[in-house]
Amino acid sequence: ISNSHLRYVNRAAKDILIENGGVMKESLLIAETLNSIGKKSELDGSIIRLALSIDGELAKNDRSNEFEPAWHFEKISINNIKSITNSAYNILKKKGEIIAFADLFKMIKQLDLFFNKQPTLELIKSCLCIDHRLRETKDGWGLMEWRTINPRSIRDKVIIILRKNGN
């Protein structure tokens, strides 16, 4: 990759990935890479995917029941990502209500998932963003299975609106 024009694209994408903790949803990574390179460029998402796929330091996580399509550094294993997302899921399930990200971050860090290697704030947030079971709201993080996060009927939506208005 170092001898081609894809090197520039790859470097831009890697820098964005580093800023986001080493894990990022594919659609966001492509959009931010395109913005970083500039709209005058003749690049599109498929060229960026090609540049990423031929880099040995990067790995793609395809869409699954758990995750959105995402890219991550090879050194961040899928098991590490699953440890973070499963921990967040279990914390939210036990608490039963929306938790502010700062509090959720502290709770996950306290679990010492990686034996004295602390995950960064960016890594944890990026991992949460690719998990289908979790959703960020303006109040914090919650579970998609909750009707307050993912309303399934008009009744659910009315209850949410009434709660917001203090009734």
Side-chain angles (χ1 to χ4, degrees):
I1 195 166
S2 61
N3 295 338
S4 70
H5 295 295
L6 296 177
R7 179 180 59 210
Y8 179 67
V9 174
N10 187 272
R11 185 71 255 157
K14 277 181 157 179
D15 289 343
I16 292 166
L17 206 52
I18 288 168
E19 289 172 19
N20 286 278
V23 176
M24 199 168 178
K25 194 183 299 189
E26 182 178 54
S27 59
L28 290 174
L29 179 59
I30 289 171
E32 288 192 28
T33 303
L34 285 171
N35 286 338
S36 161
I37 292 170
K39 297 191 185 334
K40 295 177 185 172
S41 175
E42 297 178 8
L43 296 175
D44 63 6
S46 57
I47 293 173
I48 294 172
R49 279 187 205 91
L50 173 66
L52 295 173
S53 65
I54 58 178
D55 189 319
E57 293 180 2
L58 300 176
K60 182 177 182 201
N61 188 48
D62 290 321
R63 181 180 302 277
S64 66
N65 290 338
E66 279 183 84
F67 298 117
E68 295 280 339
W71 286 91
H72 58 92
F73 284 105
E74 192 70 43
K75 65 183 179 183
I76 303 171
S77 75
I78 193 67
N79 290 332
N80 290 348
I81 295 170
K82 284 182 179 181
S83 293
I84 291 170
T85 58
N86 289 337
S87 298
Y89 179 84
N90 292 333
I91 290 167
L92 288 164
K93 185 90 169 167
K94 185 176 179 183
K95 183 90 170 175
E97 62 186 23
I98 294 172
I99 300 175
F101 179 70
D103 296 332
L104 188 57
F105 173 68
K106 288 177 194 170
M107 291 176 192
I108 292 171
K109 275 186 80 166
Q110 288 173 350
L111 295 175
D112 195 26
L113 298 173
F114 307 116
F115 311 105
N116 296 325
K117 288 185 180 178
Q118 292 297 324
T120 64
L121 181 126
E122 294 82 9
L123 174 62
I124 290 176
K125 185 152 189 162
S126 294
C127 289
L128 300 182
C129 287
I130 67 169
D131 193 310
H132 287 297
R133 303 170 299 170
L134 310 172
R135 170 73 50 92
E136 185 176 22
T137 67
K138 64 179 176 129
D139 300 321
W141 284 85
L143 299 180
M144 283 295 291
E145 63 193 51
W146 296 343
R147 288 180 169 241
T148 54
I149 299 294
N150 187 22
R152 294 182 188 97
S153 68
I154 297 292
R155 182 176 181 260
D156 294 340
K157 293 176 184 177
V158 168
I159 290 170
I160 291 169
I161 291 168
L162 289 174
R163 284 186 186 155
K164 285 181 183 175
N165 293 331
N167 296 334

